[in-house]
């Protein structure tokens, strides 16, 4: 049994991304894992200020909700980053959440791949929805996830579900008319179905 933390980075409360995240979590629970969804619509998480207080052993100067989420992050085996596509990348809420990982870093005397510090090692997945469905629709979002979360922080990517073509941005959620919810359920159910060695970062 694995502990899975799904971070829902905005969107509408019952929108396409929320439904995608819930389907993934339901699949994970079906496989016997513990899955919790945390919506950043309900938690105030500001972007990092770069003040470096955490680098001197001091608590973050920002009195928002990120400190409440740190225990959940540290306890999780896998973090699912779920976001609607906003301006061709992840939402600002999710990006702010990722920026705050800075306070979780420890000094790394032998950094790899340009990393100046080391972070808790977790598995991760990316879940996204969008109205558009061009071949390049998720290119910027995937690039940020790969560079910041996988390459730099060092999380082990276990897959991505990029749900394009989910209806108009001005209309009701259209993800129910696609196969994406079924795919998300199966993704969550099988994310640990076959344990495979992960490349060292």
């Amino acid at each position: 049994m694995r502990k899975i933390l799904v971070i829902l980075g905005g969107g509408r409360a019952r929108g396409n991304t929320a439904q995608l995240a819930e389907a993934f979590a339901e699949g994970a629970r079906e496989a016997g894992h513990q899955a919790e969804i945390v919506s950043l619509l309900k938690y105030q998480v500001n972007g990092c200020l770069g003040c470096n207080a955490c680098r001197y052993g001091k608590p973050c100067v920002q009195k928002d909700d990120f400190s409440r989420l740190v225990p959940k992050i540290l306890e999780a085996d896998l973090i699912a980053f779920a976001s609607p596509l906003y301006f061709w990348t992840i939402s600002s809420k999710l990006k702010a959440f990722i920026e705050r990982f800075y306070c979780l870093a420890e000094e790394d005397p032998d950094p790899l791949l340009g990393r100046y510090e080391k972070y808790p090692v977790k598995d991760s997945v990316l879940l996204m929805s969008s109205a558009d469905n061009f071949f390049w629709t998720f290119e910027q979002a995937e690039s940020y996830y790969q560079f910041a979360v996988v390459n730099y922080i060092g999380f082990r990517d276990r897959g991505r579900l990029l749900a394009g073509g989910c209806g108009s941005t001005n209309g009701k959620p259209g993800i129910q008319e696609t196969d994406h919810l079924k795919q998300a359920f199966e993704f969550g159910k099988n994310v640990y179905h076959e344990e495979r060695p992960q490349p060292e970062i």
Side-chain angles (χ1 to χ4, degrees):
M1 189 272 288
R2 304 299 183 101
K3 289 187 177 181
I4 295 174
L5 178 64
V6 182
I7 301 296
L8 180 57
R12 299 166 184 160
R14 284 299 303 161
N16 292 318
T17 309
Q19 294 181 56
L20 193 71
E22 184 56 46
F24 176 83
E26 287 178 1
R29 294 176 189 127
E30 176 75 14
H33 304 301
Q34 177 182 321
E36 178 183 5
I37 298 177
V38 168
S39 172
L40 296 181
L41 294 174
K42 300 178 180 179
Y43 288 79
Q44 180 62 43
V45 177
N46 304 321
C48 179
L49 296 176
C51 70
N52 272 344
C54 58
R55 287 297 189 266
Y56 296 95
K58 298 178 181 179
C60 182
V61 298
Q62 301 196 72
K63 306 305 179 186
D64 61 5
D65 292 326
F66 186 75
S67 60
R68 295 170 55 197
L69 298 179
V70 169
K72 297 180 183 293
I73 294 169
L74 297 179
E75 291 172 3
D77 296 301
L78 180 146
I79 298 178
F81 297 91
S83 174
L85 185 77
Y86 285 164
F87 272 74
W88 309 111
T89 189
I90 63 172
S91 69
S92 59
K93 288 183 180 294
L94 187 57
K95 186 174 185 297
F97 173 80
I98 294 171
E99 286 180 2
R100 297 292 290 281
F101 275 61
Y102 189 67
C103 74
L104 302 179
E106 298 178 355
E107 184 179 357
D108 189 346
D110 187 25
L112 298 174
L113 300 178
R115 296 169 62 198
Y116 299 102
E117 52 267 326
K118 57 184 177 181
Y119 292 83
V121 178
K122 306 290 177 183
D123 294 324
S124 65
V125 301
L126 178 65
L127 308 172
M128 293 195 70
S129 69
S130 76
D132 292 307
N133 197 26
F134 303 111
F135 71 90
W136 43 263
T137 293
F138 296 100
E139 187 173 301
Q140 291 295 326
E142 277 199 281
S143 177
Y144 178 80
Y145 168 76
Q146 178 67 41
F147 187 87
V149 175
V150 179
N151 293 358
Y152 188 75
I153 293 177
F155 281 11
R156 299 170 300 208
D157 178 37
R158 296 196 71 87
R160 306 162 194 192
L161 179 53
L162 308 175
C166 292
S168 169
T169 56
N170 296 322
K172 295 180 180 180
I175 198 169
Q176 305 95 328
E177 300 173 13
T178 74
D179 291 330
H180 295 318
L181 295 181
K182 180 180 179 181
Q183 293 169 358
F185 179 87
E186 293 298 322
F187 187 17
K189 184 177 179 180
N190 295 298
V191 69
Y192 281 112
H193 179 64
E194 293 182 2
E195 293 292 348
R196 52 187 185 275
Q198 300 295 325
E200 292 187 5
I201 300 298

